[in-house]
Amino acid sequence: MYEQKQSIASLVADRLGVAADDVWMAIEYPPDPRLGDLALPCFRFAKTLRKAPPAIAADAAEVLRQSGLFARVDVAGGYVNVTLRRGPVAAGVIDQAQRDVAALFSRRRHTGRRAAVDYSSPNIAKPFGVGHLRSTMIGQSICRLLAADGFEVVGINHLGDWGTQFGKNIVAYLKWGDEETVRRDPVKELFRLYVRFHEEAKDKPELEDEARAWFKRLEDGDEEATRLWKWFIAESLKAFEQTYRRLGVRFDHYLGESFYNDKMDAVVDELRQRGLLTESEGAEVVDLSAWNMPPCIIRKSDGATIYATRDLAAALYRHDVLGATDLIYVVGAEQKLHFAQVFKVLELMGRDWAAHCHHIAFGMMKYNGERLSTRRGKVVYLEEVLERAVQEARAIIEEKNPGLPDKDRVAETVGIGAVVFNDLKNNRLHDVDFRWEDVLNFDGETGPYVQYTHARACSVLRRAEAEGVPVTSPPVLADEALADSEWQLVHQLAQSNESLERAVDGFDPSVMARHVLDVCHAFNRFYHDAPILGAEDDLRAFRLALTDATRRVLAHGLYLLGLEAPEAM
């Protein structure tokens, strides 16, 4: 609806003497389609224009009627209700989707900007649990949404590959592990040893001293400690890569915490030169009390740097070396204060680009209502979740469509789509309670439902091809020739651009998930209400083109969410 809203905004702005952007922002969709296709509430202009909203609405309606661009323009109190010319609008929307569906979604507002997106970021030697799905898939979708809106995107996996945990890993491995067992199943075995360390340390606190001593050796470059540390990383990455490939996730850089070890002294030196460091109980901190935040600890009393120092070094690297204009961090909501402190310190360091640093918080992943904890061994392995979902999809295919070609590939696509969509359809700030009965429910507002709707549209087009009926550009029909179900589907397709821009502006893939669901609902109503191949001439050509446009919009929407779009199910 971008062009139609633009026309209304331009005409009304000229008539009323207000900003076109203000008019654009005010335009909304009426709650009842019988009122019209678009509505302009005029209440916000009353104070500026010193007129009653109904009088403003009457002026706006008059100029819209005079333009001849709209089928009908009505005034209801302080509202202007606009009914569009169905035939030309429908033909334009469908033709755009057929020619370049990406352009239907995006005006590429951010061309020329580069976004560094930090997401997934699992800890080495710990399992890729179902809780990691949130950062990984929200981050992957945000990368695709930003790229669709014009950003050049740099995806970064900020691996947890440093810290005292590695002292614990080394101690546990040397006491209770063996190389062959670790190589067979590295992450699970290293995790088992890590959990055992914490259990044993309850009665043997001296283990904690051993772990600290081994991490100190690692920091000092000890050959044996370094060998084991590098081995843990290599084996963990092999396992992580298997999961990433299955999810269709890729990164431009794997830059773990250890990458910044030689870059933090420069940060501390600059903070000191700028007079930003103060001493607090032996530690060096940046005082943020003026902004109602606790001090940002830069160097602890024992001289060690911590997460804030490392994240400052990482931010400077991403901006100065990788050339990012925007820094995006897809990290859980519990880190809200940490990133607020880091961004404020960057600002105090004179980095005006700190205004383009964004913490994309998300809610917690629970399992049957309980919080997951790797330290206590309470983890649900993501690989097991994906495999179970794929097997469930395979069983449903065998039951409902046993002759389907390439069943294993479709089962993989649908099973993983079910898990991913179940997460992304939720507002990212909400907690997600992982329950098998929800994830593996293939009915209702689910990934398989969207994928099946896409496959249904593909099936119609295949039948048309088999009958020798070509899919062409849409003819322009008379307004009255379009059934309500056809028009409502066009109406949904036309909102693709607004949905993408809201998803980008809010860094929230659930907006796009909602859009593809709405398109599916509208298409399925149209599919049941309006004969497609059995229609006459121009109407058949129009409906086939509409089906083709829907297929393209659903495929692109699924891509933006990180899902595949099977052509048969």
Side-chain angles (χ1 to χ4, degrees), residues 168-179:
K168 299 175 182 179
N169 290 134
I170 291 171
V171 170
Y173 172 72
L174 292 175
K175 287 185 179 295
W176 310 299
D178 70 87
E179 184 173 340

Side-chain angles (χ1 to χ4, degrees), residues 441-460:
N441 177 8
F442 285 38
D443 298 317
E445 298 195 329
T446 64
Y449 166 72
V450 178
Q451 291 171 319
Y452 179 74
T453 303
H454 174 267
R456 168 176 274 178
C458 291
S459 176
V460 172

Side-chain angles (χ1 to χ4, degrees), residues 39 80 204 211 268 294 352 410 553:
V80 181
K204 300 175 184 175
V268 177
D352 56 1
V410 175
V553 166

Side-chain angles (χ1 to χ4, degrees), residues 97 127 134 223-224 234 289 310 355 410 414 425 466 475 529 543 550:
R134 302 228 71 200
E223 185 177 341
E224 176 66 1
S289 57
R310 203 172 298 274
V410 175
V414 173
K425 72 179 182 181
D529 290 352
R543 289 175 179 172
T550 302

Side-chain angles (χ1 to χ4, degrees), residues 263-308:
K263 299 171 177 58
M264 290 187 287
D265 285 347
V267 173
V268 177
D269 290 345
E270 181 179 344
L271 289 169
R272 187 174 289 117
Q273 290 167 9
R274 288 178 176 271
L276 293 171
L277 286 184
T278 59
E279 186 176 323
S280 175
E281 299 179 8
E284 289 185 287
V285 306
V286 177
D287 181 9
L288 299 178
S289 57
W291 296 274
N292 297 315
M293 284 187 277
C296 182
I297 301 173
I298 299 299
R299 203 190 287 275
K300 295 192 292 186
S301 57
D302 62 2
T305 52
I306 63 167
Y307 286 120

Side-chain angles (χ1 to χ4, degrees), residues 125-411:
K126 289 185 180 178
F128 206 125
V130 71
H132 290 97
L133 185 72
R134 302 228 71 200
S135 175
T136 303
M137 297 316 298
I138 291 172
Q140 177 74 7
S141 181
I142 285 174
C143 284
R144 293 184 178 189
L145 289 163
L146 294 179
D149 206 18
F151 279 101
E152 181 183 354
V153 176
V154 180
I156 299 172
N157 197 338
H158 187 76
L159 296 166
D161 67 354
W162 197 251
T164 54
Q165 73 185 61
F166 286 97
K168 299 175 182 179
N169 290 134
I170 291 171
V171 170
Y173 172 72
L174 292 175
K175 287 185 179 295
W176 310 299
D178 70 87
E179 184 173 340
E180 184 181 340
T181 307
V182 170
R183 288 194 185 279
R184 271 201 307 269
D185 197 348
V187 175
K188 284 187 181 178
E189 178 59 17
L190 290 171
F191 177 55
R192 185 189 69 78
L193 294 171
Y194 178 78
V195 171
R196 180 171 177 180
F197 176 93
H198 284 282
E199 290 298 320
E200 297 272 354
K202 291 177 184 176
D203 299 320
K204 300 175 184 175
E206 64 273 14
L207 287 172
E208 297 283 359
D209 294 329
E210 286 187 55
R212 280 189 286 270
W214 268 103
F215 181 59
K216 181 68 166 61
R217 289 173 64 175
L218 178 60
E219 287 185 304
D220 293 342
D222 175 83
E223 185 177 341
E224 176 66 1
T226 301
R227 181 187 70 81
L228 289 171
W229 171 69
K230 287 183 176 179
W231 181 50
F232 294 162
I233 291 173
E235 293 297 330
S236 297
L237 284 177
K238 288 178 189 175
F240 293 160
E241 271 301 317
Q242 291 178 359
T243 302
Y244 288 136
R245 279 196 299 271
R246 203 164 192 189
L247 291 168
V249 171
R250 60 170 296 278
F251 301 91
D252 297 293
H253 300 284
Y254 285 82
L255 297 176
E257 294 175 23
S258 64
F259 179 78
Y260 303 99
N261 283 346
D262 63 353
K263 299 171 177 58
M264 290 187 287
D265 285 347
V267 173
V268 177
D269 290 345
E270 181 179 344
L271 289 169
R272 187 174 289 117
Q273 290 167 9
R274 288 178 176 271
L276 293 171
L277 286 184
T278 59
E279 186 176 323
S280 175
E281 299 179 8
E284 289 185 287
V285 306
V286 177
D287 181 9
L288 299 178
S289 57
W291 296 274
N292 297 315
M293 284 187 277
C296 182
I297 301 173
I298 299 299
R299 203 190 287 275
K300 295 192 292 186
S301 57
D302 62 2
T305 52
I306 63 167
Y307 286 120
T309 327
R310 203 172 298 274
D311 279 337
L312 289 167
L316 294 171
Y317 180 85
R318 291 168 188 179
H319 179 271
D320 298 346
V321 179
L322 298 183
T325 56
D326 298 71
L327 306 188
I328 314 298
Y329 298 83
V330 186
V331 183
E334 67 275 7
Q335 296 298 321
K336 179 180 179 181
L337 174 61
H338 167 76
F339 283 107
Q341 290 176 306
V342 169
F343 299 162
K344 178 53 69 174
V345 173
L346 284 170
E347 181 186 326
L348 295 174
M349 292 172 73
R351 302 319 200 265
D352 56 1
W353 46 265
H356 298 289
C357 293
H358 304 281
H359 170 214
I360 312 307
F362 54 85
M364 188 185 305
M365 175 74 83
K366 298 179 180 178
Y367 182 69
N368 288 330
E370 292 187 56
R371 183 170 182 170
L372 302 167
S373 169
T374 52
R375 180 170 294 189
R376 291 184 284 118
K378 189 184 288 288
V379 64
V380 179
Y381 291 97
L382 180 57
E383 192 63 32
E384 293 177 2
V385 169
L386 297 178
E387 187 56 36
R388 183 169 166 183
V390 169
Q391 293 307 317
E392 180 77 10
R394 186 72 160 77
I396 292 173
I397 290 170
E398 287 292 354
E399 176 190 344
K400 296 188 175 181
N401 191 6
L404 179 69
D406 202 9
K407 286 184 282 192
D408 290 338
R409 175 63 188 157
V410 175

